[in-house]
C-alpha cells in the first residue's frame, strides 16, 4: 500500500487531531503517502484533500476540534454518493482509508469496505457509545470539561440552597451523565439505559432538603429527558430552588486530556498497521488497555451500555 486516505467525520471530539497525527506519522514511517480529505465524506465526494507531511501535523496534538474539519454528509448516505466516493478514491490511487468518527461515520466506513476499499475505523465520540472499545476518543476530555463546570456550579448552588439540573450530551448512552455524577458527587444521574421514577427522586431530594443539605446536583443525559422536563416534574416538590444548566457544545471543546492524546495516538498507529497488514472492515479499539480489532459488523450491531457497576455506584454515592 503506497497511498492511504484519512477523514474525521460526524460530531467532532477532542483528540481527533492526535489520531490524525498518529495516522500520518505511522504511514510516513512505513513509506506511505497520506491524503487528508477535508470535511469527512464531503471531501471524498468533492475530491478536496491535502497531502499530509509531518509538518501538517506538527503542533496539533494539544488542539481540540479537527484540523481536517468534520461534516455530516447526506449525499454519502445514498448509493450514488457511495459509488462516487469509491470511484474518486480509486481514481486518486488511494488504496486504503482510515475513518475517524462516531457510530454513523463507522457505518459509512463499513459501506466503503463492502465496496472493496480497505478501511479501518477509529472510534471518536464523546458519548462513548461505540462497542468494541472501552472508551472512545474525546469521552475523557468531555468528562473533564463537565466535571470542571459542575465544580464551579456547586459553589453557587451551596451558597443559595439550590438544586441544579445539569444536562449533558448522550443520545442513547448515559456514560457522561453517570461518570460525571460519580466524579462530581452528584445526588442523581438520569440516564437512558435504565428506568427512573421522578416521584422517588423528588422524595429523595426533599428529604435531603429537610436535613438541611445546602445543594443538590442532578445530572441528566439529553437522551433520557431534557433538563426542562425534569424541572417541570420536580418543581415545588423538592424544597430547593431549581436552576438549569445545559452544557451543550462546551462539552466537545477543549484541549484533549493526556488520556485522550495517548488513546488517539495508539489507535492511530494501530489503524495504519492493520491496513498495511491487509485488514479491512474493522475498528481498532482499546479493551482492558490492549489494542484490539473488531469487525465493523459486530461493532455496529452491538449496543454498548454503561457498566452496571457504575450505575449502582451513582446510586449508592448519591444517597
Ligand atoms: P457520527 O459519526 O458522529 O455518529 P453521524 O451519525 O452524523 O455522526 O454520521 C456522520 C456521517 O457518516 C454522515 O453524515 C454520513 O455521511 C455518514 N453515515 C452515517 N450513517 C451512514 C450510513 N448508514 N451509511 C452510510 N454513511 C453513513
Amino acid at each position: 500500500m503506497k497511498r492511504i486516505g484519512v477523514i474525521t467525520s460526524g460530531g467532532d471530539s477532542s483528540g481527533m487531531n492526535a489520531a490524525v497525527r498518529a495516522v500520518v506519522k505511522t504511514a510516513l514511517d512505513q513509506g506511505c503517502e497520506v491524503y487528508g480529505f477535508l470535511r469527512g465524506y464531503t471531501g471524498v465526494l468533492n475530491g478536496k484533500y491535502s497531502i499530509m507531511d509531518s509538518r501538517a501535523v506538527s503542533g496539533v496534538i494539544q488542539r481540540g476540534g479537527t484540523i481536517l474539519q468534520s461534516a455530516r454528509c447526506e449525499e454519502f448516505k445514498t448509493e450514488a454518493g457511495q459509488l462516487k466516493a469509491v470511484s474518486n478514491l480509486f481514481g486518486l490511487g488511494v488504496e486504503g482509508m482510515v475513518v475517524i468518527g462516531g457510530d454513523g461515520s463507522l457505518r459509512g466506513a463499513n459501506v466503503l469496505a463492502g465496496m472493496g476499499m480497505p478501511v479501518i475505523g477509529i472510534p471518536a465520540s464523546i458519548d462513548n457509545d461505540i462497542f468494541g472499545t472501552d472508551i472512545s476518543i474525546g469521552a475523557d476530555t468531555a468528562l473533564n470539561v463537565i466535571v470542571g463546570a459542575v465544580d464551579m456550579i456547586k459553589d453557587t448552588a451551596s451558597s443559595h440552597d439550590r438544586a441544579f439540573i445539569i444536562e449533558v450530551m448522550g443520545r442513547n448512552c448515559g456514560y457522561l451523565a453517570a461518570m460525571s455524577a460519580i466524579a462530581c458527587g452528584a445526588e442523581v444521574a438520569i440516564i437512558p439505559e435504565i428506568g427512573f421514577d421522578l416521584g422517588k427522586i423528588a422524595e429523595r431530594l426533599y428529604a435531603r432538603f429537610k436535613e438541611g443539605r445546602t445543594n443538590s446536583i442532578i445530572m441528566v443525559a439529553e437522551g433520557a429527558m431534557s433538563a426542562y422536563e425534569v424541572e417541570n416534574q420536580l418543581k415545588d416538590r423538592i424544597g430547593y430552588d431549581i436552576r438549569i444548566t445545559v452544557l451543550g457544545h462546551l462539552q466537545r471543546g477543549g484541549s484533549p486530556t493526556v488520556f485522550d492524546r495517548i488513546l488517539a495516538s495508539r489507535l492511530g498507529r494501530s489503524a495504519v498497521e492493520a491496513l498495511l497488514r491487509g485488514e479491512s472492515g474493522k475498528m481498532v479499539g482499546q479493551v482492558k488497555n490492549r489494542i484490539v480489532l473488531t469487525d465493523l459488523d459486530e461493532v455496529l450491531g452491538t449496543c454498548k451500555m454503561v457498566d452496571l457497576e457504575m450505575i449502582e455506584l451513582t446510586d449508592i454515592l448519591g444517597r
Side-chain angles (χ1 to χ4, degrees):
M1 218 175 254
K2 283 281 159 230
R3 183 172 297 149
I4 65 169
V6 59
I7 58 170
T8 51
S9 165
D12 67 305
S13 69
S14 206
M16 280 181 156
N17 285 328
V20 171
R21 174 177 178 269
V23 166
V24 170
K25 289 198 169 221
T26 308
L28 294 177
D29 185 56
Q30 300 286 325
C32 259
E33 202 175 24
V34 183
Y35 282 16
F37 289 91
L38 305 176
R39 300 171 57 74
Y41 294 109
T42 310
V44 177
L45 286 171
N46 330 335
K48 291 255 165 59
Y49 62 89
S50 47
I51 300 175
M52 315 284 286
D53 57 13
S54 62
R55 248 185 313 166
V57 289
S58 92
V60 305
I61 195 165
Q62 75 279 18
R63 283 169 54 190
T66 158
I67 53 167
L68 291 178
Q69 299 193 283
S70 190
R72 297 201 152 91
C73 173
E74 284 306 309
E75 189 185 349
F76 183 72
K77 286 189 177 168
T78 66
E79 208 182 322
Q82 292 158 3
L83 282 169
K84 185 172 161 196
V86 173
S87 120
N88 284 356
L89 289 172
F90 283 128
L92 288 167
V94 173
E95 296 169 275
M97 283 293 290
V98 176
V99 173
I100 305 168
D103 177 81
S105 304
L106 296 172
R107 279 182 203 283
N110 208 22
V111 169
L112 282 181
M115 295 172 91
M117 170 56 57
V119 183
I120 297 290
I122 297 183
S125 155
I126 68 166
D127 289 0
N128 199 26
D129 56 352
I130 302 169
F131 180 80
T133 188
D134 288 342
I135 186 155
S136 48
I137 296 169
D140 186 66
T141 303
L143 206 45
N144 277 277
V145 169
I146 293 167
V147 170
V150 176
D151 285 349
M152 287 191 259
I153 286 168
K154 279 182 87 161
D155 290 344
T156 168
S158 58
S159 311
H160 293 276
D161 272 350
R162 279 180 184 158
F164 266 86
I165 302 170
I166 298 165
E167 185 182 304
V168 297
M169 286 186 174
R171 272 169 297 176
N172 310 306
C173 182
Y175 177 84
L176 292 176
M179 301 301 272
S180 61
I182 295 169
C184 299
E187 280 60 49
V188 180
I190 298 175
I191 63 173
E193 285 94 334
I194 49 163
F196 47 90
D197 179 339
L198 284 167
K200 286 214 172 98
I201 291 173
E203 278 168 26
R204 199 158 122 186
L205 294 172
Y206 188 57
R208 248 182 96 71
F209 177 76
K210 299 255 283 185
E211 281 169 19
R213 312 250 215 131
T214 57
N215 69 81
S216 279
I217 300 288
I218 301 140
M219 303 300 303
V220 54
E222 62 180 347
M225 213 180 211
S226 87
Y228 293 94
E229 286 174 273
V230 177
E231 183 202 20
N232 246 332
Q233 307 259 346
L234 295 185
K235 71 171 178 233
D236 306 326
R237 294 167 76 184
I238 61 171
Y240 299 99
D241 268 354
I242 301 179
R243 294 289 184 277
I244 289 177
T245 301
V246 178
L247 289 177
H249 283 86
L250 194 80
Q251 297 163 82
R252 287 195 185 282
S255 179
T257 56
V258 171
F259 180 90
D260 270 324
R261 295 180 198 196
I262 292 173
L263 173 71
S265 300
R266 292 180 78 188
L267 295 180
R269 173 195 173 181
S270 302
V272 173
E273 289 179 349
L275 263 185
L276 297 182
R277 281 199 308 274
E279 302 277 7
S280 178
K282 297 188 174 169
M283 184 192 83
V284 284
Q286 180 170 302
V287 176
K288 297 191 170 75
N289 207 27
R290 299 226 158 265
I291 304 301
V292 298
L293 277 175
T294 308
D295 281 337
L296 278 169
D297 284 333
E298 189 183 350
V299 168
L300 300 169
T302 316
C303 179
K304 177 163 173 179
M305 293 254 303
V306 182
D307 205 331
L308 190 60
E309 184 205 325
M310 295 301 171
I311 296 174
E312 283 169 2
L313 192 57
T314 59
D315 192 45
I316 294 167
L317 301 184
R319 281 174 194 277

